Amino acid sequence: MDPFARKMVLGSFVYGGMMLLMFAVLTVVYLHTRPRCSDRVVVESTNPGKHWTATIMERRCGAEAPFLTHVNLRPAGEDLKTGFFSGSADEGEIFLIEQDAAATGIALRWIGPEQLLIDCPHCNASLARKREERRDGVVIQYKASQPTQ
């Protein structure tokens, strides 16, 4: 093969490789900036000792997917950590229910320095997916005003 043809073939491979690399980088950027799920902070509450922050969030993963309301617990002063591609704040999740936040009427109340009360007057117990009683020394209590079905 003559030197000019060799340069053309090599140039084609380099060009193709650069196009693949550019496609991969742009895909990663797109998936990070437009995650499949989006978490919206509804309310945050910090305990009296300023050691813990509890956050009520609402998540939706697509137009046809149901709303999920969840409560996350993290050390005070730390930011919420969301997944790089998912956009979900799963770390520290202590309560998860398949209802939207407005319908549940969910509220947080610290009843002690290490005791959190999650008041969910309109929660349907059959839609609860996660319900922890203790996390990192914090005792979590639940109150439902209406009888669960």
Side-chain angles (χ1 to χ4, degrees):
M1 183 184 303
D2 69 72
F4 179 74
R6 186 185 326 256
K7 283 184 180 179
M8 290 297 292
V9 169
L10 181 63
S12 297
F13 282 124
V14 169
Y15 179 76
M18 292 302 288
M19 292 302 289
L20 284 174
L21 180 65
M22 189 170 60
F23 175 76
V25 168
L26 290 176
T27 299
V28 167
V29 168
Y30 177 80
L31 291 175
H32 175 65
T33 58
R34 300 184 63 92
R36 191 174 77 81
C37 298
S38 61
D39 273 340
R40 178 181 67 88
V41 174
V42 177
V43 70
E44 287 189 337
S45 176
T46 303
N47 75 336
K50 306 283 188 223
H51 293 103
W52 298 101
T53 299
T55 307
I56 299 173
M57 289 182 280
E58 188 174 69
R59 174 184 306 149
R60 190 152 193 205
C61 297
E64 299 299 318
F67 282 100
L68 300 171
T69 300
H70 59 111
V71 177
N72 287 48
L73 185 66
R74 68 184 188 281
E78 281 190 16
D79 291 332
L80 280 169
K81 294 179 181 124
T82 58
F84 189 79
F85 291 119
S86 69
S88 311
D90 295 327
E91 189 175 319
E93 190 173 78
I94 56 174
F95 179 68
L96 176 66
I97 190 161
E98 192 177 308
Q99 286 180 275
D100 64 280
T104 61
I106 193 168
L108 302 173
R109 194 170 83 222
W110 290 95
I111 55 177
E114 304 292 322
Q115 288 185 312
L116 174 65
L117 175 68
I118 298 175
D119 186 10
C120 199
H122 305 292
C123 285
N124 184 342
S126 65
L127 298 176
R129 293 186 180 176
K130 187 178 204 176
R131 184 180 161 148
E132 291 187 13
E133 303 292 330
R134 181 176 291 273
R135 168 70 68 105
D136 297 327
V138 176
V139 177
I140 303 141
Q141 298 176 358
Y142 297 89
K143 178 182 171 190
S145 299
Q146 86 175 20
T148 55
Q149 296 139 356

